[in-house]
Amino acid sequence: MSLLRVPLLAVLVSTALCQYYDYDYQPVGAHGPSGPNCNQECDCPINFPSAMYCDSRNLHFVPVVPTGIKYLYLQNNHIEEIKAGVFDNVTAELRWIVLDNNQITNAKVAKGTIDKLTALEKLFFSHNNLTEPIIPPSKSLEELKITHNKLTKFPAGLLTDKENLTSINIQNNQLTSDAITGAFKGLKKLLSLDVSHNKLKKLPAGVPSSLEILYADYNDIDSIGGGYLNKLPSLQYLRVSHNKLVDSGIPAGALNVSSLVELDLSFNKLQSIPEISEHLEQLYLQANEINKIDMASFCKFIGPLNYSRLKHLRLDANNVTHINMPHDSANCLRQASDIMFE
């Protein structure tokens, strides 16, 4: 990944999309005296009594959660199962559960545990052994993160009533395009979807028009449908790097949508630069097979108001150099401060 995208990632993390470890909030005095309403295996800070910290305790089971707990931290343990009854005291008040870095399987999650949590807002279930998602009934769910598991299916209908869900991260699983057909039906507020490191042959179908961020790196995608992006008028960031895209798999104008700010097509098999919108600001094409540079890919017309807003362009590890830049490139790419060939 280019260092140019580091500021972008910092912004995304700070906007409550919360894709990466946003649960690592440690209030002042988090490891001080524990409140009286707490499981003995864990800590409940007096100045943050609604949180119970059970992380990194060498636990093999989920302890019983007492009344009043809204935020439950169970990451970095050896938990293999979730027994019946552990959430009975908080079915209507638990807001967050963090179960990352454990050894949980679907078969060891007792019925009547997570499927009774009606107020859950965030569910973090990464680095476990799930083969299909475990979804709470809560209509308040905002963020779902199930990365680095063994998901092979995502049944349609699981998220139908999750109208407040804004972020889904299911990267590093074994999902195919067929396995996620209908998975995102009913979502109305989804902003961020990460399906990277799976086995998709095409971009996910049925994603809502609200989507702003779509990451599909490291799959087997060889084409992008001609009208796919037209159905996503809010999409700003699209990453399809490390796939199998070829020129014939990108119809004319398929990527020319004005909403896009960043487009990553690096590490594919493109031989030419696809047509993009004049509004695009960052384009990553490194490590393809590009052998020509046509300004029509960036600018259909060149004039005082007609030019590309592209700021960063990566063309390194292709079959072109500075010598291949057309003579009128400076007029078209007048805002490009960084064009990388090497």
Side-chain angles (χ1 to χ4, degrees):
M1 292 295 179
S2 169
L3 292 177
L4 294 172
R5 282 172 284 179
V6 172
L8 169 62
L9 289 176
V11 170
L12 295 181
V13 170
S14 67
T15 60
L17 291 178
C18 307
Q19 285 189 307
Y20 300 102
Y21 305 109
D22 63 331
Y23 55 77
D24 283 340
Y25 168 65
Q26 295 285 341
V28 177
H31 299 292
S34 189
N37 186 30
C38 193
N39 191 289
Q40 63 180 1
E41 301 280 353
C42 312
D43 291 322
C44 304
I46 292 176
N47 67 332
F48 193 29
S50 60
M52 188 163 82
Y53 290 88
C54 311
D55 54 302
S56 306
R57 308 297 170 100
N58 199 32
L59 299 180
H60 289 267
F61 58 88
V62 175
V64 174
V65 183
T67 302
I69 296 302
K70 295 181 180 180
Y71 309 99
L72 179 60
Y73 300 84
L74 289 159
Q75 69 270 26
N76 305 323
N77 280 292
H78 303 287
I79 297 171
E80 297 179 358
E81 63 179 322
I82 302 177
K83 297 180 179 180
V86 295
F87 300 133
D88 282 359
N89 297 320
V90 290
T91 56
E93 55 187 322
L94 198 61
R95 299 290 189 271
W96 294 15
I97 299 180
V98 183
L99 286 160
D100 293 354
N101 293 299
N102 281 289
Q103 301 165 23
I104 301 169
T105 62
N106 290 81
K108 291 294 186 71
V109 179
K111 192 172 183 178
T113 53
I114 289 177
D115 54 345
K116 281 190 177 181
L117 298 175
T118 59
L120 206 63
E121 297 172 357
K122 296 180 185 290
L123 176 59
F124 297 88
F125 227 130
S126 297
H127 292 277
N128 278 280
N129 296 310
L130 300 182
T131 55
E132 63 179 285
I134 296 174
I135 307 295
S138 173
K139 293 184 179 181
S140 301
L141 191 66
E142 298 174 356
E143 185 172 4
L144 178 66
K145 190 164 181 276
I146 312 178
T147 73
H148 296 85
N149 273 267
K150 300 176 181 179
L151 300 184
T152 57
K153 56 183 176 180
F154 201 123
L158 285 182
L159 303 176
T160 300
D161 62 345
K162 303 296 184 284
E163 296 185 357
N164 292 301
L165 193 57
T166 60
S167 178
I168 299 175
N169 191 337
I170 48 176
Q171 65 165 294
N172 279 281
N173 280 287
Q174 301 171 26
L175 294 165
T176 63
S177 294
D178 290 340
I180 60 173
T181 299
F184 313 112
K185 184 179 180 181
L187 301 178
K188 297 181 179 180
K189 297 181 180 179
L190 190 66
L191 300 177
S192 175
L193 175 62
D194 192 337
V195 292
S196 302
H197 292 270
N198 276 286
K199 298 180 178 180
L200 306 185
K201 292 187 179 297
K202 57 185 179 180
L203 290 174
V207 294
S209 60
S210 58
L211 200 67
E212 296 181 0
I213 301 170
L214 175 57
Y215 295 160
D217 306 309
Y218 292 93
N219 278 284
D220 298 317
I221 298 169
D222 59 9
S223 63
I224 296 176
Y228 186 88
L229 297 187
N230 292 329
K231 298 177 182 178
L232 301 174
S234 300
L235 192 66
Q236 298 181 54
Y237 307 100
L238 175 62
R239 297 183 183 176
V240 201
S241 71
H242 294 86
N243 276 280
K244 299 178 180 179
L245 289 172
V246 295
D247 289 3
S248 60
I250 304 179
L255 298 174
N256 188 358
V257 291
S258 60
S259 63
L260 278 183
V261 175
E262 176 187 288
L263 176 61
D264 189 345
L265 301 174
S266 61
F267 294 89
N268 279 283
K269 298 181 179 180
L270 300 176
Q271 295 184 333
S272 61
I273 299 173
E275 178 186 342
I276 62 169
S277 166
E278 291 181 353
H279 298 279
L280 192 72
E281 296 182 7
Q282 301 185 60
L283 177 60
Y284 301 93
L285 290 166
Q286 68 268 27
N288 275 277
E289 300 171 5
I290 295 171
N291 52 42
K292 60 180 178 178
I293 303 175
D294 186 347
M295 282 299 107
S297 298
F298 308 100
C299 301
K300 284 189 175 182
F301 307 100
I302 300 176
L305 300 177
N306 300 105
Y307 57 91
S308 172
R309 274 64 177 178
L310 203 63
K311 298 177 180 178
H312 305 292
L313 171 62
R314 287 195 61 174
L315 287 167
D316 44 311
N318 280 287
N319 299 318
V320 290
T321 67
H322 291 87
I323 299 175
N324 301 106
M325 289 293 285
H327 64 86
D328 57 346
S329 62
N331 289 326
C332 171
L333 301 176
R334 64 185 71 172
Q335 290 193 343
S337 59
D338 180 21
I339 301 178
M340 186 179 297
F341 285 95
E342 297 178 356

